[in-house]
Amino acid sequence: MYDPVSDYRPPLWLRSGHVQSIWPSLFRSVEVQAPEPEVLPTDDSDELHLDWYRQGSDRLAVLSHGLEGHSRRPYIQGLARALLREGWDVLAWNFRSCGGVMNHQPRFYHSGATGDLDCVVRHGLAQGYDTLGLAGFSMGGNLTLLYLAEQSEQIDSRICGGIAFSVPCDLAGSADTLARPSRKIYMQRFLRDLKVKMEEKSRKFPDLIDTAGFDNIQTFHEFDDRFTAPLHGFSDAQDYWANCSALGRLKDIRVPALMVNAQDDPFLSARCFPSDPSVLGAHARVEFPKWGGHVGFVDQAGGGYYWSERRAVRHFASLLR
C-alpha cells in the first residue's frame, strides 16, 4: 500500500537532507534506563551482544541499527525510550563486530544477515513473550524487511509486524548514490571505520583477509567486491546486492510492515521509493515524508521524542489493535 501523505513538518532550518542526517549524531543525547547486557552464542561459535530493556511486559520490540552503528546510538535509544513508555520491553542488538567488541569469525555483518536477526528473535521469543515487533534503521531496516519477507507464510504467529526507517532497499542503487562526489563525506566516514575493523581481522586471519592498498578503496562497490562478498559467500558486490536487497522481496511479507523513507535522504536511490502494488504486495506499506534525511526526522517540538519515534509508536499500537 502506498501512502504519500506524512504529517512530518520540521522547521525551515531542518528542511535539508544533509542537516537532518548529521544533526542527531552531533547534538543528540538520550536519557534512558541502563540496559542489561547479554552475550548470545551463535551456532557457528560466534556471539552477538544484546542490550535488554525490561519492565515485565508481555510484548517485545527488537531493534536493529544501521551500518557501522551499534545498540546505544541515539536513534536506537530514542526509540527504546519511546516504546518503554508505551509498555513494551525492548531488545536492541549489535551486528557482528559492532558495539565495540570484535566477533570471532572471519565474517562480520552485512545487509542480508537475516540468520543473525532470526537468532535474536528466537532468543527473544524463548523468554515467553506473547507478541514481538521489529524495528530497523538504514541497513537494519533492510535487514528487518528482508527477514519478514523470508519468513513469509512460516512466520511465527507471535511476530506482529515491523517498521523500518531510511531503508536502502535497493542496495546497488544506494551504493551508486553514495559513490557520488557530493556524498564523499559519508563514504569517507564509513570506510574509515571499516578500515579499522578489516585491519583487526587481517591480523587475526592473515590468510583470508589482506588490507594492503585499502586506502585506494573509494566506494562500496570496491569494498563489497573485496571484503563483504567473499567473506559471506557471494561472488561479487553485484551478487551480494542482488541477493540481499529487500526491494524485490517486499511482496513476500505476510505481516503489517511499514517502510518510511525521506525524499531528501542523501543515501537512497530512486528505487528506494516503490509505489507499485505488485512490488509492495498486500502487507507492506510505504510512507515518504518530504524531509527527514537519513535516520534524521528531528523534531524539536516532540517533547524530547523525534518524529520517527512517535511514528513508530503509532505503528506498533496499530499492530496491537
Side-chain angles (χ1 to χ4, degrees):
M1 178 179 175
Y2 175 56
D3 183 5
V5 178
S6 173
D7 62 3
Y8 180 49
R9 297 290 185 273
L12 290 175
W13 67 274
L14 281 171
R15 296 184 180 186
S16 160
H18 295 295
V19 172
Q20 285 268 3
S21 303
I22 295 170
W23 181 268
S25 62
L26 294 179
F27 300 110
R28 191 185 194 197
S29 62
V30 176
E31 292 186 6
V32 64
Q33 69 187 59
E36 175 191 340
E38 181 185 9
V39 179
L40 176 64
T42 63
D43 292 338
D44 61 346
S45 301
D46 214 331
E47 60 188 33
L48 301 172
H49 290 255
L50 318 180
D51 275 347
W52 282 95
Y53 298 87
R54 290 187 174 100
Q55 56 184 354
S57 178
D58 61 356
R59 56 187 190 270
L60 176 69
V62 174
L63 312 188
S64 300
H65 62 76
L67 180 73
E68 284 305 283
H70 53 76
S71 62
R72 300 189 187 185
R73 280 282 174 88
Y75 60 85
I76 292 289
Q77 292 189 316
L79 182 54
R81 182 180 62 178
L83 289 170
L84 285 165
R85 185 189 65 175
E86 298 299 317
W88 292 76
D89 280 5
V90 175
L91 172 54
W93 68 291
N94 291 284
F95 303 162
R96 300 191 195 207
S97 81
C98 296
V101 181
M102 182 56 68
N103 67 304
H104 304 311
Q105 296 291 337
R107 61 163 293 186
F108 51 112
Y109 68 92
H110 63 85
S111 295
T114 51
D116 283 352
L117 178 53
D118 184 56
C119 182
V120 173
V121 168
R122 286 187 288 107
H123 181 63
L125 289 172
Q127 312 309 306
Y129 290 99
D130 297 331
T131 304
L132 185 145
L134 298 165
F137 296 85
S138 192
M139 174 185 277
N142 182 84
L143 190 67
T144 294
L145 297 176
L146 184 62
Y147 174 74
L148 292 175
E150 289 178 351
Q151 294 296 303
S152 193
E153 303 286 356
Q154 284 71 49
I155 193 165
D156 191 292
S157 61
R158 292 167 290 180
I159 300 176
C160 61
I163 188 168
F165 293 95
S166 306
V167 186
C169 57
D170 167 33
L171 294 173
S174 292
D176 289 343
T177 298
L178 282 165
R180 296 174 185 171
S182 61
R183 309 302 197 264
K184 188 174 182 179
I185 185 174
Y186 304 113
M187 207 58 246
Q188 287 180 328
R189 180 180 177 184
F190 285 136
L191 289 172
R192 182 189 68 229
D193 293 345
L194 288 166
K195 179 183 179 182
V196 174
K197 290 185 176 180
M198 290 302 100
E199 288 177 339
E200 183 174 346
K201 283 194 172 289
S202 179
R203 290 190 292 271
K204 189 174 182 180
F205 305 103
D207 295 336
L208 289 176
I209 302 170
D210 179 10
T211 58
F214 190 102
D215 289 339
N216 295 323
I217 294 176
Q218 301 295 318
T219 66
F220 278 131
H221 196 149
E222 295 164 336
F223 179 85
D224 289 340
D225 256 344
R226 182 169 173 182
F227 297 107
T228 311
L231 285 172
H232 300 97
F234 303 102
S235 59
D236 55 22
Q238 293 291 345
D239 181 46
Y240 158 48
W241 297 336
N243 281 281
C244 296
S245 294
L247 179 62
R249 300 294 306 275
L250 296 175
K251 61 182 178 296
D252 298 327
I253 295 174
R254 293 296 183 269
V255 292
L258 175 63
M259 179 170 69
V260 183
N261 285 349
Q263 297 175 44
D264 65 354
D265 190 323
F267 290 30
L268 303 185
S269 68
R271 281 167 50 83
C272 293
F273 300 89
S275 60
D276 190 330
S278 66
V279 174
L280 297 175
H283 299 277
R285 292 178 50 222
V286 291
E287 185 174 328
F288 303 140
K290 188 173 181 180
W291 306 282
H294 191 74
V295 193
F297 305 105
V298 182
D299 191 347
Q300 292 193 314
Y305 297 94
Y306 277 13
W307 176 85
S308 52
E309 293 150 16
R310 293 186 285 110
R311 185 67 187 90
V313 163
R314 295 203 309 271
H315 181 67
F316 271 61
S318 74
L319 298 180
L320 294 178
R321 290 195 297 269

